[in-house]
Amino acid sequence: MYNEKKLIDKLKVIGTFAFIPLFVFLVVMILPLLLGVVMTFTTWTGFSGSLLEFRGFENYLIAFSDTGFWDSMKITFKYVVLTLVLTNVIAFGLALLVTSGMKGQNFFRMGFFTPNLIGGIILGFIWQFIFTRVVVHFGEASGLTIFSYSWLADPDKAFWTLVIVGVWQSSGYMMLIYIAGLMGINKSLLEAADLDGANAWQQMIKIKVPLMIPAFTISLFLTLQRSFLVYDTNLSLTSGGPFRSTELIAMHVYNDAFLYQNFGSGQAKAFILFIIVAAIAVTQVKIMKKMEVES
Amino acid sequence: MKKLFSLLVVAALLTLAACGSGNDQTSPETSGSTGGGSAKATEITILMGKPEIAKEFEAAVADFSNETGVKVTIIPLAGANAFERMTSLYSSGNAPTIMMMASEFETFKDRLLDLSDQPWVETVQEGMTDFVAVDGGIYGQPVTVEAFGFIYNKGILDQAVGGDFDPAAVSTHDEFRSLLEQIDALDGASAIHVSPMDWSLGAHLSNPFFAAQSSDRDERHQFMQDMLDGNVTLSDNEVFNNWLTTFELMKEYNSVKNSPLSPQYDDGPLALASGKVGLWFMGNWAYPQLHEIDPEGEYGFLPVPVSNDASHFGNNEISVGVPSYWVIDASQSTTDQQEAANAFLNWLVSSESGQNHYVNNLNFIPVFDSITVQPEDSLSLSILSYMEGNNTLEWMNSYYPADGWASMGASMQKFLADNIDREGLIQEFENYWKNAKK
């Protein structure tokens, strides 16, 4: 790269290229994170000039002993596992479908990707309309009892509406990543496998999937992070209801801090969430890196 | 590479430190310059929390600007949380001159202007400023009053009782039940629509239970304190049990009994104004929508009965209260701005054009004797008649802990959807209050 010998030259290069992004990164990412962690040990209420009293681990104790927090955590884990599996299975399937050379595959690619272009809030409201009006009308007309009442009124079904909308929204995006992965596979490998008599399934398991590990790493990481921190569709679709049973963790943290004004415990919960998500994401990426192979 | 990195970090930290101290030096200058800026025409800002009347309020403010030359900027809350918005505006040194404040008052009261020497204070109706009175000073001007209870569709109820319906004739459980039966017997109409939103149940429907505990203000506030201290056994509380019976009646005659948590807010006005139901538990803020669906419709309020004894406190009263107050910032606004803000608040309730906007365009119900313009819609008239007879219940929900309505609302939703029974509801209420933030 650069071979500056003198210190002053080195500093010049750093000042020219690295300083600004590093400074911005520090100011908008690292500092707020540190300040946030400091906040969890005090009585600060987010109000400048409010009492800054050191309270030790009190906020964490409140957070850990809050059953609502753990209920939210439980339901969020359930949501993450379901969306993670469903989104990636569907996205991979779609990717295979639209790269198979079928008629009009570009049109389908576009169609599957479209849900991503709609903001989460709007999307939630559209689906809310579908679940409370369209589906109910359909149920009443067809006599199917499962559809004749709003799904958003029942805790279990309301949870499933969240999963359905989440999967519907992200699978198109993940599909694009898988398409890129599929396109990146060297054609000569597949041709050689064809000559050796490997059938489509064997080609998939032995060649395509191992070579696409980087695509899986990215897709799984993105779905994991998106599902853990989802807030917009949660807010516009169910707003946590009925009776706060579909309050995912991001919404729980926000409500605790800003709606019920428990800044300390809310911030502590946010930090706990950060640790959990970071640990899971880092482990996932590490494991996946080991699985990568070269062709 | 490592060396390079550590160099980078050191350089970044150094500049950061430099920037920090630089800020300190410049801050007095900047604050000085804003002070000097007030020599120009006064500019004030208003943080406004009622999106449903935003257009009308803009028109009122425009008239005020034309008359006085004060430039007014409206900061809409736009769905954000009021407490959060005020906190960030204050922290950034941009506190609005006038704010619409409710439960946030407790936190911000030290930074507000004492308004007790203002002319409008003389004309405000009794008890309306209790919430914002601190140590003999009055720190807020009531925006308006709002009321909630059972809104009835007079057309449907006239049919049901076979004559002219009189709300005073229904004040006990038995009378309420027979009214519900009468409406139910009509062709094509159900008795009551219950909106299952947690704020409607948890903050509004729960209010009579606290407010009707006693006609004495101190006693009912003591009751709430006892709830917080965990000294109340709800199953022994007469008012609570009777109130729960009313809730059970609502549940029994609910028009959407099969799926009580399905309805959205908009289903309420549609059901009531189109005559599908006779009663709807809601407040007068729903009037614009009712009016839009059926401009000919006549509506009124019916109290939520809390016992079988017609003379019992609460059976002839509806909940009337001030949902929010106009307050003026004193810590970051200049004296000129504070004066202009006071001029605006006085203009709104005492000048001719201000009063016209207040009653006719903003649809506010006057709480000032100085206002001579009277509202004309049926729902406002119903509220005024309750206010004149002094038949009002206090809004005890202003004193709930911050998550009170959400938690009680959730329990009441469970009860409505048969998720828990009477005992379960009592248990959840007691648990919530015992563990609530004091």
Side-chain angles (χ1 to χ4, degrees):
Chain A
M1 222 166 65
Y2 292 96
N3 292 316
E4 279 73 18
K5 293 282 180 296
K6 279 184 229 152
L7 178 72
I8 190 83
D9 288 339
K10 277 183 183 166
L11 276 177
K12 240 186 224 164
V13 172
I14 291 164
T16 324
F17 298 110
F19 176 70
I20 292 169
L22 198 75
F23 177 73
V24 171
F25 180 69
L26 264 174
V27 172
V28 305
M29 302 286 288
I30 304 297
L31 270 185
L33 182 75
L34 291 179
L35 282 177
V37 177
V38 170
M39 259 180 75
T40 61
F41 296 105
T42 65
T43 56
W44 199 57
T45 59
F47 200 8
S48 72
S50 71
L51 210 57
L52 241 176
E53 211 177 293
F54 186 74
R55 278 294 167 85
F57 284 94
E58 196 184 287
N59 286 326
Y60 287 93
L61 284 178
I62 295 173
F64 277 114
S65 59
D66 182 359
T67 50
F69 177 61
W70 295 113
D71 288 345
S72 274
M73 202 57 125
K74 238 182 271 167
I75 195 160
T76 308
F77 265 98
K78 202 169 132 194
Y79 174 81
V80 169
V81 170
L82 281 167
T83 45
L84 193 72
V85 172
L86 287 176
T87 305
N88 286 288
V89 167
I90 290 173
F92 191 61
L94 290 178
L96 288 176
L97 196 72
V98 298
T99 49
S100 64
M102 66 190 275
K103 217 176 165 192
Q105 61 179 13
N106 283 331
F107 173 76
F108 282 109
R109 275 185 206 185
M110 199 176 72
F112 293 136
F113 182 69
T114 308
N116 256 286
L117 305 175
I118 311 168
I121 293 279
I122 309 283
L123 202 127
F125 282 131
I126 294 172
W127 278 91
Q128 192 194 47
F129 176 76
I130 292 175
F131 282 119
T132 52
R133 311 273 183 215
V134 181
V135 170
V136 173
H137 271 289
F138 169 74
E140 277 166 359
S142 65
L144 290 167
T145 40
I146 186 167
F147 293 127
S148 53
Y149 299 116
S150 168
W151 279 26
L152 301 177
D154 177 88
D156 291 325
K157 286 183 192 148
F159 173 78
W160 276 100
T161 62
L162 282 178
V163 174
I164 291 169
V165 176
V167 169
W168 181 76
Q169 185 188 17
S170 3
S171 47
Y173 188 77
M174 300 309 150
M175 174 193 77
L176 280 196
I177 298 175
Y178 287 126
I179 291 176
L182 281 170
M183 299 297 218
I185 296 173
N186 198 335
K187 287 280 176 298
S188 61
L189 284 170
L190 296 174
E191 275 162 21
D194 244 351
L195 288 176
D196 289 341
N199 62 28
W201 177 249
Q202 283 169 325
Q203 284 184 25
M204 163 92 79
I205 294 297
K206 304 276 186 190
I207 300 172
K208 284 182 181 167
V209 171
L211 284 176
M212 278 176 64
I213 292 290
F216 279 106
T217 314
I218 295 172
S219 296
L220 287 177
F221 178 79
L222 283 179
T223 18
L224 189 79
Q225 176 258 355
R226 272 188 177 194
S227 318
F228 252 117
L229 304 179
V230 66
Y231 177 77
D232 44 5
T233 42
N234 194 189
L235 180 75
S236 53
L237 192 60
T238 69
S239 13
F243 37 88
R244 297 178 77 179
S245 57
T246 57
E247 210 175 71
L248 296 179
I249 196 73
M251 181 182 255
H252 179 87
V253 168
Y254 177 86
N255 286 355
D256 199 26
F258 295 109
L259 235 46
Y260 313 140
Q261 289 156 34
N262 303 320
F263 280 92
S265 65
Q267 180 69 22
K269 284 171 183 174
F271 188 60
I272 297 170
L273 177 66
F274 166 74
I275 299 281
I276 292 176
V277 176
I280 294 177
V282 168
T283 330
Q284 179 248 333
V285 173
K286 266 197 175 156
I287 294 174
M288 300 288 282
K289 277 274 170 215
K290 277 194 190 139
M291 288 164 68
E292 276 180 28
V293 290
E294 302 249 331
S295 59
Chain B
M1 196 62 206
K2 256 187 189 160
K3 232 185 201 169
L4 196 119
F5 183 69
S6 54
L7 260 175
L8 270 170
V9 174
V10 169
L13 283 178
L14 275 176
T15 354
L16 204 65
C19 286
S21 58
N23 277 340
D24 285 345
Q25 279 159 9
T26 52
S27 56
E29 279 169 43
T30 43
S31 63
S33 68
T34 47
S38 64
K40 294 178 287 179
T42 317
E43 293 182 19
I44 61 171
T45 51
I46 301 179
L47 183 68
M48 155 70 185
K50 281 182 161 295
E52 64 272 17
I53 50 159
K55 246 192 220 144
E56 290 80 1
F57 189 70
E58 261 170 47
V61 164
D63 271 4
F64 172 73
S65 292
N66 285 339
E67 284 175 32
T68 57
V70 175
K71 191 171 174 274
V72 185
T73 313
I74 299 172
I75 309 174
L77 202 51
N81 177 280
F83 190 86
E84 187 191 354
R85 192 97 172 90
M86 287 170 197
T87 307
S88 59
L89 284 169
Y90 258 104
S91 300
S92 62
N94 292 318
T97 328
I98 302 180
M99 278 163 285
M100 199 183 245
M101 211 173 249
S103 57
E104 300 83 16
F105 178 74
E106 196 58 30
T107 314
F108 289 87
K109 61 184 174 199
D110 295 343
R111 296 153 192 254
L112 304 177
L113 188 68
D114 185 355
L115 308 176
S116 41
D117 57 343
Q118 291 300 310
W120 63 260
V121 175
E122 300 281 301
T123 64
V124 75
Q125 283 162 20
E126 205 197 318
M128 293 300 177
T129 51
D130 283 357
F131 186 74
V132 286
V134 184
D135 299 331
I138 290 168
Y139 290 83
Q141 174 184 354
V143 174
T144 174
V145 288
E146 283 181 352
F148 55 81
F150 294 115
I151 305 179
Y152 62 83
N153 184 331
K154 190 156 189 302
I156 301 297
L157 262 63
D158 283 350
Q159 275 182 46
V161 300
D164 192 28
F165 175 73
D166 175 21
V170 181
S171 50
T172 65
H173 277 154
D174 292 343
E175 286 160 358
F176 186 57
R177 181 191 287 275
S178 74
L179 176 69
L180 292 171
E181 275 165 2
Q182 280 174 318
I183 310 171
D184 234 8
L186 286 178
D187 251 355
S190 308
I192 185 167
H193 179 90
V194 182
S195 287
M197 283 77 65
D198 56 358
W199 53 264
S200 174
L201 298 173
H204 297 157
L205 189 54
S206 66
N207 189 55
F209 148 49
F210 287 95
Q213 286 290 340
S214 166
S215 53
D216 180 69
R217 185 177 191 274
D218 292 339
E219 274 180 36
R220 53 179 182 259
H221 280 268
Q222 184 57 45
F223 173 77
M224 189 179 270
Q225 190 58 47
D226 288 344
M227 286 285 287
L228 278 169
D229 295 340
N231 296 335
V232 178
T233 320
L234 282 180
S235 47
D236 297 339
N237 187 286
E238 202 192 316
V239 179
F240 176 77
N241 276 304
N242 281 322
W243 169 81
L244 198 51
T245 308
T246 311
F247 191 27
E248 264 171 351
L249 276 173
M250 291 169 67
K251 192 176 147 184
E252 195 184 328
Y253 288 91
N254 192 353
S255 64
V256 275
K257 211 171 150 184
N258 291 324
S259 181
L261 299 184
S262 298
Q264 314 269 305
Y265 175 78
D266 297 335
D267 293 324
L270 207 58
L272 185 74
S274 62
K276 280 192 197 120
V277 297
L279 297 169
W280 176 38
F281 181 79
M282 197 43 68
N284 65 315
W285 51 86
Y287 183 75
Q289 271 170 302
L290 293 171
H291 185 73
E292 203 176 318
I293 296 164
D294 179 16
E296 305 292 306
E298 257 194 75
Y299 310 95
F301 274 107
L302 194 66
V304 180
V306 286
S307 78
N308 222 350
D309 170 10
S311 63
H312 194 284
F313 176 68
N315 280 349
N316 304 300
E317 283 82 12
I318 60 168
S319 305
V320 179
V322 181
S324 45
Y325 296 84
W326 295 118
V327 298
I328 299 176
D329 165 63
S331 64
Q332 294 180 8
S333 307
T334 61
T335 332
D336 282 356
Q337 286 177 318
Q338 291 171 18
E339 263 164 34
N342 266 323
F344 173 73
L345 294 185
N346 279 307
W347 172 84
L348 191 61
V349 298
S350 58
S351 77
E352 199 182 319
S353 57
Q355 289 188 4
N356 179 38
H357 278 294
Y358 187 95
V359 174
N360 294 327
N361 299 338
L362 300 172
N363 236 325
F364 286 167
I365 294 171
V367 283
F368 303 92
D369 298 332
S370 59
I371 295 187
T372 47
V373 189
Q374 286 295 316
E376 275 154 18
D377 65 274
S378 53
L379 213 50
S380 299
L381 288 176
S382 171
I383 297 174
L384 284 175
S385 76
Y386 280 102
M387 284 170 68
E388 273 158 26
N390 224 354
N391 289 324
T392 58
L393 290 177
E394 190 185 0
W395 274 25
M396 292 294 283
N397 52 24
S398 310
Y399 300 92
Y400 288 174
D403 58 346
W405 56 269
S407 299
M408 286 197 286
S411 305
M412 288 164 80
Q413 284 177 339
K414 286 184 196 168
F415 184 75
L416 201 61
D418 276 329
N419 204 286
I420 51 172
D421 58 2
R422 244 181 125 101
E423 273 68 49
L425 183 73
I426 292 174
Q427 196 76 47
E428 291 204 359
F429 267 38
E430 279 183 358
N431 274 346
Y432 167 71
W433 280 91
K434 244 181 264 173
N435 300 322
K437 206 167 63 164
K438 305 266 176 344

